[in-house]
Amino acid sequence: MLLPQVASATTYQLTGPIERRYAADGPWATATMVTRPCDRESNVCDIWYPSDLGSNPLKQETTGFHHPAIVFADGTSDGITADYAAFFLRHLASWGFIVIRSRDGATGHGDTVLDTASFLLDLAKNTGSIFYEKVDADNVGLVGHSQGAATTTLLFSRNTPIFKTYVPIETPIRPFCVIVKCTIDLGALAKVTHGSIFYIGGDLDAASSLPTNLGYYAPTSSKIDKVMGMIAGGSHGEIQGNPGCESVGIPLYCNIGAYPLLGYPTAWFMWKLQNAADGPAAFAENGELSHAAPNWLGVLSNVRNR
């Protein structure tokens, strides 16, 4: 029997100048902290953030910069640890984002995710916090993995006002969401009027296959920017790479690692939350991502060059 060749850190090659730019570390040094309980389930939060808050090396600004924020929704777990997706989240912080997540492994309808966003925005109003007047409350994004990706899509479908853009990674099949209470109303996706979304799956991920992601992408309203892409050789746990894969005892759970998730998701957030000019060139219907094969497959987009 012939087995498909699985991509790895040694075979995954950055394919275009935009991906190469954002797959590299950004110009901000980073720090991290663990907070007090930050949601209604009394979970603590982890925050990754630029250590020189208020500066923007991209614009040669030393003070006065308000950092966009990204909230992360975890996948299903009985106990989220500090290192869950930490390489990926620190990478985002190196591009100027304040990144926060609750250690909730059952995000479901999204109540704790909303609590987490509110917790950070409250810190930005607290004179005793290092984040005081450092957060751009008008530019907050949401990214989630697995169950957290379903929660991300669910909150998107509800036109949740606090989030400006969404990146669900490895959104699971609908029967799974019935069990863990993250079911997405496909009819609601057609009525979305706020935000934008970048669906990411893996073509070796039975839980988040091409048909599964297409089932979310297709009914999503065409009135907002929407993009879909499948990581070639990608399975369900790539986001937990550090940045490569470490054995977690589950066959094919992580084949490539975080490498393919560093470039284009960062480029998306830079476009949507920091107004980076190269966003349309990356994500337009005939943009760089659409030509990123063999690393990215099944790319769909309604984004027009601007």
Side-chain angles (χ1 to χ4, degrees):
M1 182 177 66
L2 295 176
L3 297 176
Q5 182 178 1
V6 176
S8 68
T10 57
T11 60
Y12 187 85
Q13 300 293 323
L14 304 174
T15 55
I18 299 174
E19 184 185 22
R20 285 195 293 271
R21 179 185 183 191
Y22 294 113
D25 271 0
W28 281 268
T30 64
T32 186
M33 70 166 62
V34 180
T35 74
R36 65 183 187 275
C38 58
D39 64 27
R40 69 192 64 193
E41 301 294 337
S42 297
N43 295 293
V44 299
C45 272
D46 299 289
I47 305 180
W48 292 261
Y49 60 96
S51 52
D52 189 9
L53 288 165
S55 71
N56 186 344
L58 294 173
K59 296 183 178 180
Q60 290 77 52
E61 297 173 353
T62 57
T63 61
F65 180 60
H66 291 80
H67 297 266
I70 298 174
V71 178
F72 181 72
D74 298 300
T76 307
S77 176
D78 289 334
I80 299 294
T81 60
D83 61 353
Y84 185 100
F87 189 92
F88 170 71
L89 300 177
R90 185 214 60 82
H91 180 79
L92 293 175
S94 79
W95 282 94
F97 300 101
I98 297 172
V99 184
I100 184 169
R101 65 97 179 274
S102 158
R103 294 191 194 178
D104 181 16
T107 53
H109 291 302
D111 292 336
T112 57
V113 174
L114 293 172
D115 291 345
T116 301
S118 295
F119 179 82
L120 179 60
L121 295 181
D122 286 344
L123 288 179
K125 299 174 185 176
N126 182 346
T127 57
S129 169
I130 64 170
F131 302 110
Y132 177 63
E133 295 188 341
K134 297 296 192 297
V135 180
D136 183 352
D138 293 327
N139 284 288
V140 181
L142 177 59
V143 56
H145 172 236
S146 192
Q147 181 180 165
T151 301
T152 296
T153 307
L154 177 61
L155 291 172
F156 165 74
S157 75
R158 294 175 177 171
N159 285 301
T160 306
I162 195 171
F163 299 118
K164 189 175 182 180
T165 194
Y166 302 76
V167 180
I169 299 173
E170 310 296 348
T171 312
I173 55 177
R174 286 172 60 78
F176 172 83
C177 277
V178 172
I179 297 170
V180 299
K181 301 179 180 178
C182 59
T183 304
I184 300 156
D185 180 355
L186 299 182
L189 289 174
K191 301 174 183 176
V192 172
T193 59
H194 169 79
S196 54
I197 194 163
F198 178 17
Y199 296 100
I200 299 174
D203 76 335
L204 292 184
D205 184 1
S208 188
S209 63
L210 175 60
T212 296
N213 281 273
L214 185 59
Y216 296 122
Y217 175 88
T220 297
S221 171
S222 294
K223 295 180 180 179
I224 55 91
D225 288 338
K226 62 175 183 175
V227 174
M228 184 187 86
M230 304 295 294
I231 300 169
S235 196
H236 200 68
E238 310 304 344
I239 198 170
Q240 295 194 56
N242 188 32
C245 295
E246 297 178 5
S247 175
V248 294
I250 305 174
L252 296 181
Y253 182 72
C254 181
N255 300 319
I256 304 169
Y259 299 100
L261 292 170
L262 303 180
Y264 289 119
T266 305
W268 180 270
F269 282 125
M270 288 296 292
W271 175 31
K272 293 300 183 180
L273 301 181
Q274 293 199 48
N275 297 314
D278 51 10
F283 297 105
E285 294 171 279
N286 196 36
E288 184 179 293
L289 178 63
S290 70
H291 295 285
N295 294 322
W296 288 80
L297 308 171
V299 175
L300 295 170
S301 171
N302 74 338
V303 175
R304 298 180 180 274
N305 273 312
R306 298 164 189 173

